[in-house]
Amino acid sequence: MQRFITKRVLSSTNSLRSHRCFSQLAQKQTSSYSIHENDIPVPKLPPFDYSPPPYTGPSSDQILAKRKQYLSPSLFHFYSKPLNVVDGKMQYLFDENGRRYLDGFGGIATVCCGHCHPDVVDAVVKQINRIQHSTVLYLNHVIADFAEALASKMPGNLKVVFFTNSGTEANELALMIARLYTGCQDIISLRNAYHGNAAGTMGATAQSIWKFNVIQSGVHHALNPDPYRGVFGSDGEKYAKDVQDIIDFGTSGHVAGFISEAIQGVGGIIEMAPDYLPAAYKSVKKAGGLCIADEVQAGFGRTGSHFWGFEAQGVVPDIVTMAKGIGNGIPLGAVVTTPEIAEVLTRRCYFNTFGGNPLCTAAGLAVLKVIEKENLQENALVVGSHLKKRLTELKDKYEIIGDVRGRGLMLGVELVTDRQRKTPAKAETLHVMDQMKDSGVLIGKGGFYGNVFRITPPLCFTKEDADFLVDAMDYSMSKM
């Protein structure tokens, strides 16, 4: 197999470290590449019948200056020259000059129906013109209607909904519920996981780049069932034995719960090995613990084959958390559990000022209706399968692609400089992302080493969009 990448990117130490927290692009890299002899045609965006109104706001430089002066220094941005996004329509974004980009990231797997989907916009506008916020201390039909619709999408006896404002909030609540219900403190999470950045969820998160040096107690991290880099390949049951070992040798023999993503998003689109969850859940339940499924990124039909990611493993959790796609960009999260487990929150007063407000729940209900009306789960399956097939063909062409994985429209492409050693191609990943942006395609980046393309577009993505994305990646790699 011919290798197209003949030299690694030459970059400063700071640039090589810029994968942390996605892409702290502080310095422009200088690169040295060989150009492939056979030129590949410049890819062209599929036609789209929409032009945004002229933009009259501040320039990118002015916005960046204000960010540096007034916003937290922890904020970072993609690309050597950050993009000023001023307009969006379905699967496309527009910059300050009116240039159109294909959105292959979906605001970090958040925009599921499409940017400014008319049904969602209409529901939000109608609700905000009527009442924006009251409190759950008063009655309002919107929150009840959405809870009913959401419960109808859940398996088993998962029928009670608590609304939050984000995935971090939802996971925090789920961990507390598990500890209250069981009377135990020990939580088992997976290495490489990301569950949030608050006190409890930071403990459950298992990547050092997302963990501050503060007290994070009561969490054990099991071996990650990673088919690509894991020690047991695709043998899910062997990985699950580590959960039992943690229970036997790291706890009293009783645990509060086990939390996992069906597909790790921030961790680099890692789909757990087959048969892992049934075995892991069995050990946890035997130890008296609750099983928590984090569906913040994989939920709402994104995986195509199922509405919820955990369903691919044939299990039913005790608690399910969700956010991102639930509101198509509106700040909204939820915890769904059984009536019996939900009772634990009546021991004291549990209250969330904004959780379940009329505006956000109106958006959430509209999102569910759009997913069903437009068959977006089926579209994620069909278009996602086509996209994965084409990305896999690209892997056969370029040695730098070490792995293509995921399902539906939650896909990952891992870049390595050596397929045998699986050496992360960190700088090359940044370079290709920049080049793809110049071609009109926006994708994300993740994984502990910052060398995995995260492809999580709106679920209205078409096959033509998928082809353009792959063509842009092909074109960018051919010019390295």
Side-chain angles (χ1 to χ4, degrees):
M1 189 180 299
Q2 183 180 3
R3 290 195 60 156
F4 287 80
I5 312 303
T6 59
K7 296 184 181 179
R8 294 188 183 182
V9 179
L10 303 177
S11 62
S12 68
T13 302
N14 285 338
S15 292
L16 284 172
R17 295 177 60 197
S18 64
H19 72 282
R20 296 188 176 184
C21 302
F22 290 142
S23 63
Q24 292 172 301
L25 300 178
Q27 299 183 5
K28 188 174 181 179
Q29 299 173 326
T30 58
S31 306
S32 176
Y33 295 105
S34 65
I35 298 178
H36 184 234
E37 295 175 356
N38 300 320
D39 285 336
I40 294 175
V42 178
K44 293 183 179 180
L45 269 168
F48 188 65
D49 188 23
Y50 175 79
S51 296
Y55 174 70
T56 58
S59 67
S60 297
D61 291 340
Q62 291 172 319
I63 295 171
L64 194 58
K66 279 190 178 183
R67 274 175 58 131
K68 289 179 179 178
Q69 184 173 359
Y70 297 111
L71 295 178
S72 168
S74 66
L75 292 182
F76 48 88
H77 55 75
F78 274 163
Y79 308 117
S80 53
K81 183 179 180 181
L83 189 66
N84 182 18
V85 176
V86 302
D87 209 304
K89 182 66 68 173
M90 300 308 287
Q91 67 269 44
Y92 293 103
L93 294 171
F94 299 82
D95 68 12
E96 59 191 310
N97 299 312
R99 181 180 177 184
R100 178 163 56 102
Y101 297 85
L102 178 65
D103 183 9
F105 198 28
I108 316 179
T110 298
V111 179
C112 65
C113 299
H115 294 282
C116 299
H117 191 288
D119 291 8
V120 179
V121 171
D122 184 58
V124 169
V125 170
K126 284 181 177 178
Q127 185 59 52
I128 203 169
N129 281 331
R130 192 170 186 92
I131 184 167
Q132 177 180 349
H133 177 77
S134 53
T135 168
V136 291
L137 299 175
Y138 307 135
L139 298 182
N140 188 287
H141 74 92
V142 183
I143 183 174
D145 291 345
F146 183 39
E148 179 185 32
L150 198 55
S152 73
K153 304 298 292 185
M154 308 302 302
N157 199 32
L158 294 164
K159 300 301 179 187
V160 179
V161 184
F162 298 90
F163 287 113
T164 66
N165 304 288
S166 70
T168 291
E169 273 193 9
N171 284 331
E172 283 281 332
L173 178 56
L175 295 176
M176 184 176 74
I177 289 173
R179 284 169 167 153
L180 289 172
Y181 183 79
T182 61
C184 295
Q185 292 300 306
D186 291 283
I187 296 289
I188 300 175
S189 178
L190 293 177
R191 297 177 190 176
N192 197 56
Y194 181 89
H195 296 291
N197 57 10
T201 51
M202 190 180 294
T205 292
Q207 288 192 36
S208 59
I209 57 177
W210 296 104
K211 293 167 77 73
F212 286 94
N213 188 23
V214 297
I215 294 174
Q216 300 165 45
S217 61
V219 181
H220 310 264
H221 298 102
L223 284 174
N224 190 30
D226 178 355
Y228 181 63
R229 290 185 176 271
V231 292
F232 299 124
S234 296
D235 194 330
E237 293 185 355
K238 284 186 177 179
Y239 291 106
K241 187 179 183 301
D242 191 50
V243 174
Q244 185 63 54
D245 287 345
I246 286 174
I247 294 170
D248 291 341
F249 300 104
T251 75
S252 65
H254 300 281
V255 298
F258 170 84
I259 184 170
S260 65
E261 307 158 87
I263 300 178
Q264 292 178 338
V266 174
I269 314 296
I270 296 175
E271 184 176 12
M272 57 180 57
D275 303 317
Y276 175 77
L277 278 187
Y281 276 23
K282 182 179 180 181
S283 293
V284 172
K285 289 180 180 293
K286 185 179 177 182
L290 299 183
C291 298
I292 305 168
D294 180 340
E295 291 288 321
V296 170
Q297 294 198 36
F300 293 90
R302 178 162 291 281
T303 63
S305 58
H306 301 84
F307 198 81
W308 306 108
F310 64 79
E311 293 177 303
Q313 291 263 330
V315 296
V316 178
D318 300 297
I319 304 173
V320 180
T321 63
M322 58 198 73
K324 292 189 182 291
I326 191 175
N328 201 51
I330 294 291
L332 179 61
V335 176
V336 184
T337 189
T338 67
E340 179 187 2
I341 295 171
E343 280 291 323
V344 298
L345 289 186
T346 64
R347 297 176 187 174
R348 295 291 189 275
C349 289
Y350 173 77
F351 187 78
N352 189 313
T353 299
F354 297 110
N357 71 81
L359 186 64
C360 292
T361 49
L365 184 56
V367 167
L368 275 185
K369 290 178 178 178
V370 169
I371 290 173
E372 294 178 1
K373 183 178 75 171
E374 299 184 2
N375 297 315
L376 293 184
Q377 180 184 335
E378 181 182 357
N379 189 68
L381 176 63
V382 173
V383 176
S385 298
H386 174 75
L387 176 55
K388 187 176 182 180
K389 178 176 180 292
R390 286 221 51 201
L391 289 169
T392 302
E393 291 170 353
L394 212 59
K395 178 185 173 218
D396 295 335
K397 185 176 181 180
Y398 296 103
E399 280 282 317
I400 196 171
I401 299 179
D403 193 31
V404 174
R405 54 182 178 253
R407 62 172 61 205
L409 287 173
M410 189 170 183
L411 301 176
V413 178
E414 181 158 353
L415 302 191
V416 294
T417 57
D418 187 301
R419 280 191 177 180
Q420 294 300 316
R421 295 181 176 87
K422 300 178 182 177
T423 309
K426 296 178 284 188
E428 291 88 339
T429 302
L430 293 178
H431 175 81
V432 174
M433 277 186 67
D434 257 322
Q435 294 300 304
M436 289 182 67
K437 187 257 289 185
D438 292 343
S439 294
V441 177
L442 308 177
I443 55 175
K445 181 173 70 68
F448 180 76
Y449 304 104
N451 66 318
V452 182
F453 293 137
R454 294 168 65 187
I455 303 173
T456 55
L459 304 189
C460 55
F461 224 56
T462 68
K463 284 187 176 181
E464 290 74 23
D465 296 323
D467 287 335
F468 176 66
L469 186 151
V470 177
D471 289 345
M473 188 179 294
D474 187 5
Y475 180 78
S476 299
M477 288 183 172
S478 74
K479 298 299 180 184
M480 290 175 66

